[in-house]
Amino acid sequence: LAWQVLQLIHPKSKIENVKLDLSARELEILKLLSHGHSYKMIANKLDVSYSTINSHTKHIYEKLQVHSVVDAVMKAVQKKII
């Protein structure tokens, strides 16, 4: 419901610019999450710490206005971000 209200108030402004708001690293992490990789697997693959991946993922959630990996991936696919 909140998503529909947002679309009525700001029809295309924030929603279409989501991809631009995600950093290249956040997009990379989101793509890896969409392929089923765990935070630990992504951390090993990108040679960063688990907490770094956790931090990036929190930013992804905030920017996409979601609360889970599944929701983030679903929204990214729906909006053709990934």
Side-chain angles (χ1 to χ4, degrees), residues 25 28-34 36-50 53 57:
R25 185 61 112 183
E28 182 177 19
I29 291 168
L30 185 56
K31 287 177 187 176
L32 291 169
L33 289 169
S34 75
H37 290 72
S38 68
Y39 288 15
K40 187 174 182 178
M41 292 168 62
I42 295 170
N44 288 334
K45 182 177 180 78
L46 301 180
D47 196 30
V48 296
S49 71
Y50 177 92
I53 299 304
T57 304

Side-chain angles (χ1 to χ4, degrees), residues 49-80:
S49 71
Y50 177 92
S51 62
T52 299
I53 299 304
N54 192 39
S55 177
H56 280 302
T57 304
K58 285 181 183 180
H59 293 141
I60 292 167
Y61 289 0
E62 289 171 7
K63 290 176 181 182
L64 295 179
Q65 300 174 347
V66 297
H67 301 285
S68 71
V69 171
V70 172
D71 290 341
V73 170
M74 283 178 48
K75 192 166 194 178
V77 169
Q78 289 172 347
K79 299 298 174 188
K80 298 180 178 158

